[in-house]
Structure formats: structure tokens, C-alpha cells
């Protein structure tokens, strides 16, 4: 999907004390408040959840710097490139980095090794993620969750942890935010080209698929992902 930059209504909604998304915004702002503007990054893999988290992190960084009379900062984002990555995902992440002036760090090694580099050599203390309860192990984490003992030491920040699948799409559609084109081809959960296919629950019958936002049963979100 192609789109222009988001309308101002996005940040207006996140500032609105009566908005259902305000608590989500506050959790992201608290990440910068607790760990510092230069020590927080966003994990941005190009998926729908990570896209929402990235926009919330952009808002939080801007709000925190303004409230504290700090100079503007670019949002640090990290993208782990899988050797079997969808080209559409890589293109989307690079496009978002340009449109929103993200400070994009790309790693081709493992997730753990990349995080170690960020924590030990780039001063990162907290990572904003797009984890939701419906994700594998999602029920085992909280909005602020320290990394596991065998991992580099950092705080995982999960602002959209309690969002439902439909709420993710409502947010993206309501604010006309760009998202990876694979979602319009029937993909509902993105891995890599070896373990991901269009969701059979969205099959039309002529070999095509309805777009991801039309999925009716949220329990079927990961039907297109192979379990290995």
C-alpha cells in the first residue's frame, strides 16, 4: 500500500487523554523518560504490529523531547534482515526510514547478536517492540519486561501488548498509514519466504486472497505461518 505521510490526527489521538490509545502512548513516553532519549530504539521488522509500534515510538520521542526542551532526535530503529527476507519487506522498511527520517540500523546476523551490538556498543537500554498477547510467548511478558537472563541486558517495551488484531488494522486504516504490500495479498502474519504464505482463511476461490484487514476470526491470524 502506498500513502502520504500520516495526517496530524495520528499525534492528536495519541495526545488525547480520553483516547483508548493514550495508555499505549504513555508507556512509550515512559521508555524515553526512564532510559533516556539516546538509549531507546524501536525494533522495526516491517510487519503490521512493528509499524504501529514505530509510529507510537515516533510520537513518544517527539513528545518527550518537546516536554523537556530537548533538541529533536531521530528515532533509532533496528531491522534484522533474514537471508530469506521478502523483498517487499526490505523495500517497505527502507521506504519508511526515508519518509519518517528514521535512524535505521540493519543487521544480517542473528537477532541476539544484533541486540548485543546495540546494547554493548551503541548504548541501547530499552527496545520498543510490536509484541502482542496473541504472539508466541506473548502471554509470558508484560508491557515493561526485562530481557531473558541469557540475553544482553535491556528492557523490552511492548506498548501494544494488549491490542487485538482488529485494533491494529483499525489504527493503520484510521490514520491512512502505509503498510507492507504483502498484507493486501492475503498475508496476515509475516515471517520469511520459507515459512510464510497467504492465509487460507482469506482465499477467494479463484487463486486470489482478500486483504489482511478483512480477516474475521482473529484466532486465524497465524494460519499462513508454518510451524517448525
Amino acid at each position: 500500500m502506498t500513502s502520504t505521510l500520516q495526517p496530524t490526527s495520528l499525534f492528536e489521538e495519541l495526545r488525547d487523554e480520553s483516547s483508548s490509545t493514550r495508555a499505549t502512548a504513555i508507556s512509550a513516553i515512559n521508555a524515553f523518560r526512564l532510559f533516556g532519549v539516546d538509549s531507546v530504539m524501536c525494533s522495526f521488522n516491517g510487519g503490521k504490529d512493528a509499524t504501529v509500534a514505530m509510529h507510537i515510538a515516533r510520537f513518544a520521542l517527539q513528545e518527550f523531547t518537546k516536554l523537556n526542551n530537548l533538541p529533536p532526535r531521530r528515532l533509532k530503529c533496528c531491522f534484522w534482515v533474514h537471508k530469506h527476507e521478502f523483498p517487499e519487506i526490505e523495500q517497505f522498511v527502507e521506504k519508511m526510514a526515508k519518509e519518517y527520517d528514521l535512524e535505521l540500523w540493519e543487521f544480517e546476523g542473528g537477532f541476539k547478536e544484533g541486540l548485543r551490538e546495540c546494547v554493548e556498543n551503541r548504548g541501547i537500554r530499552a527496545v520498543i517492540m510490536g509484541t502482542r498477547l496473541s504472539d508466541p510467548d506473548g502471554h509470558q511478558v508484560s508491557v515493561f519486561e526485562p530481557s531473558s537472563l541469557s540475553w544482553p541486558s535491556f528492557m523490552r517495551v511492548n506498548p501494544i501488548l494488549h491490542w487485538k488484531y482488529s485494533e491494529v488494522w483499525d489504527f493503520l486504516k484510521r490514520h491512512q498509514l502505509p503498510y507492507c504490500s504483502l498484507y493486501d495479498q492475503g498475508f496476515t502474519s509475516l515471517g520469511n519466504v520459507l515459512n510464510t504464505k497467504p492465509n487460507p482463511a482469506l482465499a477467494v476461490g479463484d487463486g486470489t486472497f482478500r486483504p489482511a484487514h478483512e480477516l474475521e476470526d482473529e484466532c486465524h491470524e497465524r494460519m499462513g505461518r508454518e510451524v517448525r
Side-chain angles (χ1 to χ4, degrees):
M1 175 183 178
T2 57
S3 175
T4 58
L5 296 180
Q6 89 293 332
T8 56
S9 62
L10 169 63
F11 282 12
E12 290 175 355
E13 175 182 320
L14 294 173
R15 287 191 188 100
D16 186 353
E17 295 290 346
S18 65
S19 169
S20 61
T21 57
R22 180 59 179 170
T24 297
I26 291 296
S27 65
I29 292 172
N30 279 335
F32 292 103
R33 183 176 68 86
L34 295 170
F35 299 100
V37 292
D38 296 318
S39 298
V40 179
M41 76 174 186
C42 182
S43 178
F44 183 43
N45 65 4
K48 62 187 184 305
D49 302 328
T51 298
V52 171
M54 180 269 288
H55 285 292
I56 290 170
R58 285 196 316 110
F59 164 79
L61 177 58
Q62 178 177 303
E63 286 293 284
F64 184 79
T65 53
K66 283 186 175 181
L67 288 171
N68 291 276
N69 297 313
L70 297 172
R73 300 291 209 284
R74 297 170 68 199
L75 177 65
K76 297 179 176 69
C77 287
C78 201
F79 175 44
W80 281 267
V81 185
H82 193 279
K83 65 178 179 179
H84 298 296
E85 191 68 79
F86 282 100
E88 292 90 341
I89 290 180
E90 291 191 66
Q91 293 164 8
F92 174 70
V93 169
E94 292 173 0
K95 180 180 179 181
M96 293 301 95
K98 291 179 181 178
E99 285 198 5
Y100 296 107
D101 194 27
L102 307 175
E103 184 177 334
L104 185 65
W105 300 342
E106 296 189 18
F107 292 98
E108 295 185 355
F111 187 66
K112 190 173 184 178
E113 290 74 19
L115 280 170
R116 190 177 305 281
E117 163 66 19
C118 293
V119 170
E120 295 182 357
N121 299 320
R122 305 195 185 193
I124 295 301
R125 300 174 59 206
V127 182
I128 295 175
M129 300 179 168
T131 301
R132 291 171 36 238
L133 287 176
S134 60
D135 292 333
D137 302 323
H139 283 279
Q140 299 179 24
V141 301
S142 55
V143 174
F144 282 83
E145 184 74 25
S147 57
S148 301
L149 293 177
S150 61
W151 284 66
S153 299
F154 68 96
M155 182 65 72
R156 290 175 284 183
V157 184
N158 306 304
I160 65 168
L161 182 65
H162 299 287
W163 285 35
K164 296 180 179 179
Y165 179 88
S166 59
E167 291 174 317
V168 169
W169 281 112
D170 286 345
F171 186 85
L172 291 171
K173 290 290 187 178
R174 184 165 67 250
H175 297 295
Q176 302 175 27
L177 296 170
Y179 54 81
C180 181
S181 61
L182 290 171
Y183 289 113
D184 285 336
Q185 300 173 36
F187 292 82
T188 54
S189 179
L190 300 179
N192 58 67
V193 296
L194 300 181
N195 65 9
T196 313
K197 59 184 179 181
N199 193 321
L202 292 172
V204 174
D206 59 357
T208 62
F209 296 81
R210 291 181 290 129
H213 70 269
E214 293 186 11
L215 184 68
E216 297 176 358
D217 189 341
E218 300 187 2
C219 294
H220 294 162
E221 177 181 354
R222 298 180 66 84
M223 279 183 64
R225 298 284 291 272
E226 294 184 9
V227 178
R228 294 180 180 272

